Amino acid sequence: MKRQSGVLMHISSLNGKYGIGTLGKTAWEFVAFLAKSGFSAWQVLPVNPRGPGFSPYNSISSFAGDALFIDPEALFEAGLITHDELRSAEHKNRERVDFKIIIPERTRLLRLAFSRFSDYDALEAFCERESHWIGDYASFMSIREELGGIAWQHFPSHLRDKSGLPEWREKHREDENYYKFEQFMFFSQWEKLRRFANSKGVSLIGDVPIYVSLDSCDVWSSPGIFNLNDSLIPFDVSGCPPDAFSAEGQLWGNPTYRWNRLAESGFSWWIARLSHCAKMFDTVRLDHFRAFEAYWSVPYGAVNAVCGHWEKGPGKPFFDTINAALPNLSLIAEDLGFLTDEVFALRDGCNLPGMKVLQFAFDSDEHNIYLPHKYPENCVVYTGTHDNDTLRGFLESAPMHLLDFARRYLSPADGETLFDAFLRAAWSSRADLAIAPMQDFLNLPTTARMNTPSTVNDQNWRWRMQEGFLSEALSEKLYAFNEKYSRI
């Protein structure tokens, strides 16, 4: 495999004047910047609609796209909004995403655009192609809107069990058409962006969380594949066991899967999900890969994850089935967290590249699996992920013993900083693919961090790149860096 490099940055973090990154001009300019700088991959976070806390990892749908990413300028060019309406979508504060302002503003704009939309032949063709999910999603969203955004477990019984859907759809056809319109616009713009990226030699890497939100269209439409009782309440929920970083573990709260029932169906729901991803991305990162071997099961209602236990996941039969159904699907295993020999055996038995995070390499000793000299070729090395501090922030706050070990190991050359040595170590490693968050190439401090795990605050998921950051000088510097380590 040709050695390659990429950049991790979410769509929301793109610069621009509309309050949040979109699939429009700035996304295309970023692709052009990547290609010019010698990169061959752009990795994004999940692009599904956000759930509580505005996290893209807690979505209300595994199939829908986030309507906030729809480009307002494309709506104007299509004659669906006026110039004044387009101007009203602009924001003076472009440094961070303010979801509480953006969501109602963008919804109002999209509603205006829908009121003038007339190409129902194209919309119908789109809905036919996406018929396995779009109808349920439109119904789910229109019901939630009508009922004030309540969780589906509190829907009236005839809508909770979907027996009343035919009558609902007849009465609320226009409401459902709006949500279908949103998705039509999102996927039309996404398809154009992907074609452009591929034409420039840039592949798109997506991110698939293993779990879905309890209050999601996925669970409402397919409750039988999740561990729910007759009252549609989970028997158990997801999480992580206690470790050195958290004495109480992590309680995520997602419903777990009935893997035996999924296996009986030939994993059809997962095949549909990953097939959908394959139409959007060139490669898919499987979040929390270790749960496919065994997952931490926590009783529903527990206050923390301490009382959980391990349950077996679907293992290799799952990946054999997926590979048979989708032989061209390219996957990356997010093999982080509590790892065992069984997890490594599953990853290697499926010949999946795992992840090596350089920020994890220097907190122990020479046996640390994240030290670059231990990398196989079939892996992806990251300086850090969306859940880590920026590299600069990490180095500014790391304990002295870690920094001393890093200096001894990396041996910065004269004039080379420890920051530079970290990037060099990743790019010069044997890993087939090297990726760094855009914040690291910009040498940004902790304030540019994307997310701090196990926290809900007004900082997470909000960072945006500023206008002018993608300079010609930076592009030339990054091209020379990629060329030096044979990643072009």
Side-chain angles (χ1 to χ4, degrees):
M1 178 180 176
K2 176 185 175 184
R3 287 159 54 85
Q4 297 179 322
S5 65
V7 174
L8 169 61
M9 188 171 75
H10 198 31
I11 303 294
S12 62
S13 296
L14 290 164
N15 65 301
K17 54 189 176 182
Y18 299 109
I20 190 171
T22 75
L23 302 177
K25 179 183 177 182
T26 53
W28 289 54
E29 289 175 343
F30 187 63
V31 167
F33 174 86
L34 293 177
K36 188 175 182 179
S37 305
F39 294 103
S40 52
W42 176 12
Q43 181 174 332
V44 298
L45 307 185
V47 296
N48 310 107
R50 290 170 173 79
F54 310 116
S55 168
Y57 291 88
N58 194 23
S59 178
I60 56 175
S61 171
S62 294
F63 293 88
D66 193 336
L68 296 181
F69 297 155
I70 295 172
D71 177 29
E73 291 182 0
L75 300 178
F76 170 71
E77 292 165 1
L80 298 177
I81 59 174
T82 67
H83 186 264
D84 287 343
E85 290 164 349
L86 176 63
R87 290 288 302 274
S88 72
E90 295 182 9
H91 283 260
K92 292 181 179 178
N93 180 10
R94 303 169 189 170
E95 295 183 359
R96 304 189 76 78
V97 179
D98 190 335
F99 289 107
K100 293 180 180 179
I101 292 177
I102 292 296
I103 290 173
E105 284 189 355
R106 192 57 50 83
T107 300
R108 179 186 61 82
L109 197 70
L110 288 168
R111 288 280 184 182
L112 282 171
F114 174 64
S115 71
R116 296 155 187 163
F117 179 75
S118 60
D119 193 357
Y120 278 89
D121 288 342
L123 178 60
E124 183 177 350
F126 166 77
C127 291
E128 287 181 4
R129 292 194 301 272
E130 307 298 329
S131 59
H132 65 285
W133 68 273
I134 190 69
D136 279 349
Y137 175 74
S139 296
F140 178 79
M141 294 300 292
S142 64
I143 295 170
R144 279 171 59 96
E145 181 185 12
E146 180 73 13
L147 300 179
I150 64 174
W152 68 264
Q153 292 93 335
H154 301 298
F155 287 0
S157 59
H158 68 292
L159 295 176
R160 189 170 61 247
D161 65 15
K162 298 180 287 299
S163 62
L165 272 188
E167 182 180 358
W168 174 273
R169 286 170 171 167
E170 185 66 29
K171 290 183 177 179
H172 297 269
R173 183 172 301 171
E174 195 68 1
D175 295 329
E176 295 198 2
N177 279 341
Y178 166 71
Y179 289 104
K180 293 175 181 178
F181 161 78
E182 274 191 350
Q183 295 306 304
F184 171 66
M185 297 305 297
F186 173 90
F187 283 100
S188 296
Q189 293 184 13
W190 183 274
E191 185 178 348
K192 292 176 182 177
L193 177 63
R194 183 182 179 183
R195 284 202 305 266
F196 176 69
N198 289 169
S199 74
K200 302 293 286 185
V202 175
S203 64
L204 298 182
I205 302 177
D207 197 327
V208 173
I210 181 174
Y211 294 119
V212 301
S213 173
L214 175 60
D215 184 24
S216 67
C217 180
D218 303 288
V219 183
W220 173 73
S221 62
S222 303
I225 66 173
F226 298 93
N227 281 317
L228 309 179
N229 63 22
D230 292 340
S231 300
L232 302 177
I233 302 299
F235 288 111
D236 64 347
V237 294
S238 63
C240 279
D243 56 22
F245 301 100
S246 174
E248 296 184 343
Q250 295 182 37
L251 183 60
W252 298 337
N254 312 86
T256 61
Y257 295 100
R258 286 185 175 175
W259 284 115
N260 58 338
R261 187 168 293 183
L262 281 162
E264 290 169 1
S265 72
F267 301 108
S268 58
W269 184 85
W270 269 97
I271 289 173
R273 186 183 186 190
L274 293 174
S275 177
H276 184 70
C277 291
K279 293 187 295 185
M280 301 181 65
F281 306 108
D282 301 289
T283 298
V284 173
R285 171 189 179 269
L286 278 179
D287 188 57
H288 198 51
F289 171 80
R290 75 100 49 243
F292 288 99
E293 191 281 320
Y295 61 92
W296 192 246
S297 167
V298 184
Y300 181 73
V303 297
N304 57 47
V306 172
C307 58
H309 66 278
W310 291 107
E311 289 279 353
K312 292 301 291 184
K316 195 167 185 297
F318 170 83
F319 290 98
D320 290 342
T321 303
I322 295 298
N323 186 56
L326 303 169
N328 296 319
L329 179 65
S330 173
L331 296 174
I332 295 172
E334 190 261 328
D335 54 343
L336 307 177
F338 182 84
L339 302 180
T340 63
D341 290 342
E342 291 81 4
V343 176
F344 295 136
L346 177 61
R347 180 199 65 195
D348 296 342
C350 298
N351 195 34
L352 297 178
M355 290 176 54
K356 306 297 182 184
V357 180
L358 201 53
Q359 287 192 25
F360 298 162
F362 303 103
D363 59 1
S364 56
D365 55 27
E366 66 274 9
H367 300 294
N368 192 312
I369 64 172
Y370 298 107
L371 289 168
H373 73 276
K374 293 181 175 290
Y375 298 171
E377 292 181 354
N378 188 31
C379 76
V380 185
V381 57
Y382 294 78
T383 53
T385 74
H386 64 278
D387 280 335
N388 294 114
D389 200 346
T390 64
L391 180 55
R392 174 177 159 187
F394 168 76
L395 293 174
E396 288 175 345
S397 61
M400 190 56 65
H401 74 274
L402 186 154
L403 296 176
D404 287 342
F405 182 15
R407 288 191 184 93
R408 292 196 306 273
Y409 182 92
L410 298 173
S411 299
D414 290 342
E416 184 184 39
T417 66
L418 187 57
F419 179 95
D420 295 331
F422 262 75
L423 286 171
R424 167 175 56 79
W427 257 243
S428 64
S429 74
R430 296 175 61 203
D432 286 332
L433 179 59
I435 294 178
M438 192 66 214
Q439 295 95 313
D440 290 353
F441 289 120
L442 296 170
N443 196 6
L444 296 180
T446 296
T447 52
R449 181 173 184 160
M450 192 61 170
N451 179 55
T452 301
S454 301
T455 66
V456 177
N457 55 48
D458 59 1
Q459 300 300 311
N460 291 342
W461 316 114
R462 288 163 170 79
W463 176 76
R464 295 188 69 199
M465 182 171 59
Q466 296 305 291
E467 189 173 356
F469 277 8
L470 303 182
S471 66
E472 184 70 25
L474 178 61
S475 179
E476 292 175 357
K477 176 182 177 181
L478 293 176
Y479 185 91
F481 184 63
N482 281 316
E483 185 177 46
K484 181 177 182 178
Y485 296 106
S486 303
R487 293 194 178 271
I488 294 180

